[in-house]
Amino acid sequence: MVRHMANPLTPDVLVDPVVLTRTLVDIESVSRDEKVIADCVEEVLQQTPHLTTDRLGNTVMARTDLGHDQRIVLAGHLDTVPIDNNFPSTGVDDLIYGCGTSDMKSGVALALHLAATLPDPCYDITFLFYEAEEIEAQYNGLHLVAQAHPEWLQADFAVLLEPTYGVVEAGCQGTLRAKIRTTGRRAHTARAWRGVNAIHAVGEALRRLEDYRPRTVTIDGCTYREGLNAVRISGGVAGNVVPDECTLEVNLRFAPDRTEKQALEHVHEVFAGFDVELTDSAPGAMPGLSAAPAREFLTAVGAEPAAKLGWTDVARFAALGIPALNYGPGDPLLAHAPDEHVEIGKIRDGAATLHRWLAPR
Amino acid sequence: MVRHMANPLTPDVLVDPVVLTRTLVDIESVSRDEKVIADCVEEVLQQTPHLTTDRLGNTVMARTDLGHDQRIVLAGHLDTVPIDNNFPSTGVDDLIYGCGTSDMKSGVALALHLAATLPDPCYDITFLFYEAEEIEAQYNGLHLVAQAHPEWLQADFAVLLEPTYGVVEAGCQGTLRAKIRTTGRRAHTARAWRGVNAIHAVGEALRRLEDYRPRTVTIDGCTYREGLNAVRISGGVAGNVVPDECTLEVNLRFAPDRTEKQALEHVHEVFAGFDVELTDSAPGAMPGLSAAPAREFLTAVGAEPAAKLGWTDVARFAALGIPALNYGPGDPLLAHAPDEHVEIGKIRDGAATLHRWLAPR
């Protein structure tokens, strides 16, 4: 997308987080095509006198420097999954429909609204509007910032405005994938006793998966429910050959009290006697709700936190030692759906909560 | 291959089955490219006064009409699998190497040698040299003859000169393939309890395969060893999704005392409770060794018959009510191998056996 328009993100638009959500949704920004939206965001923030801005690729950073003891990060990604007959936005009653309404331009709108309308927050704030969250990790704007400008991420606490439907989701589970390989010996099926069937040998691994009872772990009041699942299986040579190889891929979702190394050891234990090869893994993140800004945030929200079960960029902050959580107006179940939408009430509630938390004292 | 040569199959060559084997091997005839070899065979047989010849596609039929009460068929396919650095033939000591030496130009050589050198056999004989045995059944020369000229196949007994290493292999096992499908419900693996894992559900089917004890059945002194094997498995949506479908393909090889229908019922019994879909099946063939020409053939060979375990064109004759068996000089374990070869001694033994059996009395 090439920009041939005046910036729709005017200071007036930023005053109203609902109007701002629709305006953001109407700037197309599928992953790898975020230049226009990043230009618009950068331009309006540069006009905001209490902020210093900077940019890396299509990631825009803006910060206050008020001399507070503590600094928080408010972050949201600018990209969306591909459009699916849901662009531009449409309004129906108290709902806004469109690609990115839930995941996560309504969350980005809250941060941008705060950036423009709260010149004197009670903590210093770093705002991050980043690119390429929906695609391979190598393009992820936060990942690139962590490499090129780690100082942008330095903070005491971070809130990612990912869709949580107004609930505080703290920490995140880790994820690990591994391949279980069985081998055998090929033979013509008419003389099967000369061979060893590698698919039959997977039966025992599936039995262990069926018998597996996942842990439930509670940390800081957040309950993490683990899971171990087969996600792919393949094997076979031809319709008349006893197969000599079969591969079963499993995915472990693990509570943040396990490290990646411990998670892998666990998978090795479950599949003792099998050939287990790690495919990929990502660590979980502890909820980290004991820092002062986190406690005050929970007070402002006025509800108990829940565990985040999927993996999110929260873990990138955790890896830097920064407590982080997810809190946003979108419904996570609508993310990536053709009928993606957001409730206007949730946007207004979110803006009020953030103002309550960050207002000058 | 286009022919630009004199016919190498001269009456002189046909006198010696070993020379004839090499000559046949040196006429390239990969499946669907059998015109040249069929032309050569037809031409030399047309010069043989005691035979009547006919042709369908690249299948050549030749027959005696001596007024005998009984008629036998000697049949062999002219095609080979693709060449694999094993063309033309080479001779090493008492072995002939090359594509088709075992499967089955040495067998074809025996039939062609008999056709040329035995003007007064004790039964009437129909010789069939047919195309496209190594590929999909729709092209198979015997299949086409059964449709267009079923009278060519009418006989009291048939010998297919497929490689058996000089052993009589009688009847053949049937084969059946079926798909076992399990279904579940997709969910994100971070919330796996909302889904139902279709791959886990296959564990029970694999358990039944592991526990399966195949029958061994003896008919007319031939022992058939059945088998039920997984031949393919596949399932999975993505690395983070509980899969909602998994497909396991199994292959049953069944003794000829079961019909195809009974074989399918058996598979349904084994996988009771699962969704079983028949993929394809082919009937077995009873050994049929009680007919007079069969008994006399066994006497001439002087050895006990063995069961044929794989599926062969023998079953096509069985389907027409004609007892048939395999008997050829090639080693079946060398068929389709790059180092395919045949022992000269086996060719000479085979020719002597057939002469003993078919000589005028």
Side-chain angles (χ1 to χ4, degrees):
Chain A
M1 190 173 179
V2 178
R3 186 174 158 205
H4 299 287
M5 57 178 182
N7 188 352
L9 299 182
T10 61
D12 281 355
V13 165
L14 267 59
V15 169
D16 184 335
V18 174
V19 174
L20 178 52
T21 296
R22 281 200 70 157
T23 309
L24 286 166
V25 171
D26 291 343
I27 305 173
E28 193 180 324
S29 61
V30 177
S31 306
R32 308 297 283 154
D33 197 12
E34 301 99 333
K35 184 179 183 308
V36 169
I37 198 167
D39 287 351
C40 294
V41 168
E42 184 182 22
E43 195 176 295
V44 70
L45 291 176
Q46 281 172 338
Q47 300 164 27
T48 310
H50 65 277
L51 297 175
T52 313
T53 62
D54 203 345
R55 179 160 172 162
L56 176 71
N58 290 322
T59 294
V60 178
M61 186 280 289
R63 54 185 285 156
T64 64
D65 283 292
L66 304 170
H68 286 298
D69 287 346
Q70 295 202 286
R71 175 175 292 279
I72 63 155
V73 166
L74 292 182
H77 61 83
L78 294 171
D79 62 319
T80 69
V81 294
I83 286 165
D84 188 7
N85 289 314
N86 52 5
F87 180 89
S89 66
T90 50
V92 178
D93 300 329
D94 59 345
L95 305 176
I96 305 170
Y97 279 82
C99 184
T101 44
S102 164
D103 185 11
M104 60 175 284
K105 288 182 173 174
S106 53
V108 167
L110 292 192
L112 209 47
H113 166 71
L114 263 286
T117 59
L118 193 65
D120 51 355
C122 63
Y123 309 115
D124 272 311
I125 308 182
T126 303
F127 297 93
L128 281 164
F129 303 99
Y130 63 101
E131 63 184 324
E133 192 269 350
E134 297 289 4
I135 57 172
E136 302 89 311
Q138 59 176 314
Y139 302 112
N140 183 294
L142 276 191
H143 166 72
L144 298 176
V145 165
Q147 292 185 312
H149 293 293
E151 71 280 8
W152 293 5
L153 302 180
Q154 276 166 21
D156 300 284
F157 179 57
V159 175
L160 269 77
L161 295 144
E162 287 275 5
T164 66
Y165 202 57
V167 172
V168 176
E169 293 187 338
C172 76
Q173 296 212 107
T175 177
L176 178 155
R177 263 177 287 270
K179 285 185 174 164
I180 318 294
R181 277 210 185 77
T182 57
T183 54
R185 192 169 60 244
R186 286 191 198 188
H188 196 289
T189 48
R191 293 181 176 79
W193 61 91
R194 293 192 185 175
V196 177
N197 194 312
I199 294 177
H200 296 192
V202 168
E204 170 60 21
L206 294 181
R207 187 152 34 245
R208 294 189 198 172
L209 282 169
E210 286 175 284
D211 293 344
Y212 186 79
R213 293 291 164 265
R215 288 193 315 157
T216 295
V217 181
T218 301
I219 304 167
D220 283 1
C222 299
T223 298
Y224 297 92
R225 202 164 159 181
E226 297 191 329
L228 179 60
N229 268 272
V231 289
R232 282 196 196 91
I233 191 166
S234 68
V237 176
N240 60 356
V241 176
V242 174
D244 59 346
E245 194 175 317
C246 186
T247 304
L248 172 69
E249 193 175 6
V250 297
N251 183 205
L252 174 69
R253 299 287 173 149
F254 55 96
D257 64 334
R258 296 195 207 253
T259 64
E260 287 174 272
K261 184 164 171 290
Q262 288 166 338
L264 180 58
E265 283 165 7
H266 178 62
V267 171
H268 274 288
E269 278 164 27
V270 171
F271 296 106
F274 284 89
D275 173 20
V276 175
E277 185 199 339
L278 178 67
T279 306
D280 66 291
S281 72
M286 296 293 275
L289 298 175
S290 52
R295 280 183 281 117
E296 287 164 23
F297 174 73
L298 291 173
T299 302
V301 175
E304 289 300 304
K308 183 73 186 177
L309 298 172
W311 197 90
T312 77
D313 277 340
V314 157
R316 294 186 196 278
F317 287 94
L320 298 167
I322 302 165
L325 51 74
N326 286 296
Y327 170 78
D331 180 344
L333 299 179
L334 297 173
H336 306 188
D339 67 339
E340 185 177 354
H341 57 265
V342 65
E343 296 175 18
I344 286 173
K346 289 284 176 192
I347 300 173
R348 300 225 182 273
D349 286 351
T353 298
L354 293 176
H355 273 287
R356 205 154 54 230
W357 174 39
L358 297 170
R361 281 164 203 165
Chain B
M1 188 173 179
V2 178
R3 186 171 160 206
H4 297 290
M5 58 180 184
N7 188 351
L9 300 181
T10 61
D12 279 357
V13 164
L14 268 59
V15 169
D16 184 335
V18 175
V19 174
L20 178 53
T21 297
R22 282 199 72 158
T23 309
L24 286 166
V25 171
D26 291 344
I27 304 172
E28 195 181 323
S29 60
V30 176
S31 306
R32 307 298 284 153
D33 195 12
E34 301 100 331
K35 183 178 184 307
V36 170
I37 197 166
D39 287 350
C40 293
V41 167
E42 184 182 23
E43 194 177 295
V44 69
L45 291 176
Q46 282 172 337
Q47 298 163 28
T48 309
H50 63 278
L51 297 175
T52 313
T53 63
D54 204 345
R55 180 160 173 162
L56 176 70
N58 290 321
T59 294
V60 178
M61 185 280 288
R63 55 185 286 159
T64 65
D65 283 293
L66 303 169
H68 287 299
D69 286 347
Q70 296 203 284
R71 175 174 292 279
I72 63 157
V73 166
L74 293 182
H77 61 83
L78 294 171
D79 62 319
T80 69
V81 294
I83 287 165
D84 188 4
N85 288 314
N86 53 6
F87 180 90
S89 67
T90 50
V92 178
D93 300 329
D94 59 344
L95 304 177
I96 304 170
Y97 279 83
C99 183
T101 44
S102 164
D103 185 11
M104 58 173 286
K105 288 183 174 175
S106 53
V108 167
L110 292 191
L112 208 47
H113 165 71
L114 262 286
T117 59
L118 193 66
D120 51 354
C122 63
Y123 309 116
D124 271 310
I125 308 181
T126 302
F127 298 93
L128 282 165
F129 303 98
Y130 64 101
E131 64 185 322
E133 190 271 348
E134 298 288 5
I135 56 172
E136 301 91 310
Q138 60 176 314
Y139 301 112
N140 184 295
L142 276 190
H143 166 72
L144 299 176
V145 166
Q147 294 185 311
H149 292 292
E151 72 280 8
W152 293 5
L153 301 180
Q154 276 165 22
D156 300 284
F157 179 57
V159 174
L160 269 77
L161 295 145
E162 286 275 6
T164 66
Y165 203 57
V167 171
V168 176
E169 292 187 339
C172 76
Q173 297 211 106
T175 178
L176 178 155
R177 262 177 288 271
K179 284 184 176 165
I180 317 296
R181 278 211 185 77
T182 56
T183 54
R185 191 169 61 243
R186 287 193 197 187
H188 196 290
T189 49
R191 293 181 176 79
W193 62 91
R194 292 193 186 174
V196 177
N197 195 311
I199 295 178
H200 296 191
V202 168
E204 170 60 21
L206 294 181
R207 190 158 28 249
R208 294 188 197 173
L209 282 169
E210 286 174 283
D211 293 344
Y212 186 79
R213 295 290 166 266
R215 288 193 316 158
T216 295
V217 181
T218 301
I219 305 167
D220 283 1
C222 299
T223 298
Y224 297 91
R225 202 164 158 180
E226 297 190 331
L228 180 60
N229 268 272
V231 290
R232 282 197 196 89
I233 192 166
S234 67
V237 176
N240 59 355
V241 176
V242 174
D244 59 347
E245 193 174 317
C246 185
T247 303
L248 172 69
E249 191 174 8
V250 298
N251 182 207
L252 173 69
R253 298 288 173 148
F254 55 96
D257 64 334
R258 295 196 208 255
T259 64
E260 287 174 274
K261 184 163 172 289
Q262 289 167 336
L264 180 58
E265 283 165 6
H266 178 62
V267 170
H268 274 288
E269 278 165 26
V270 171
F271 296 105
F274 285 89
D275 173 20
V276 175
E277 184 200 337
L278 178 68
T279 307
D280 66 289
S281 72
M286 295 293 275
L289 298 175
S290 52
R295 281 184 278 115
E296 287 164 22
F297 174 72
L298 290 173
T299 303
V301 175
E304 289 301 304
K308 184 74 186 177
L309 298 173
W311 196 90
T312 78
D313 276 340
V314 158
R316 294 186 196 279
F317 286 94
L320 297 168
I322 301 165
L325 51 75
N326 285 297
Y327 170 77
D331 179 345
L333 299 179
L334 297 173
H336 307 189
D339 66 341
E340 184 176 355
H341 56 266
V342 64
E343 297 175 19
I344 285 173
K346 289 284 177 194
I347 300 174
R348 298 224 182 275
D349 288 352
T353 298
L354 293 178
H355 272 288
R356 205 154 52 230
W357 175 39
L358 298 171
R361 283 163 199 162

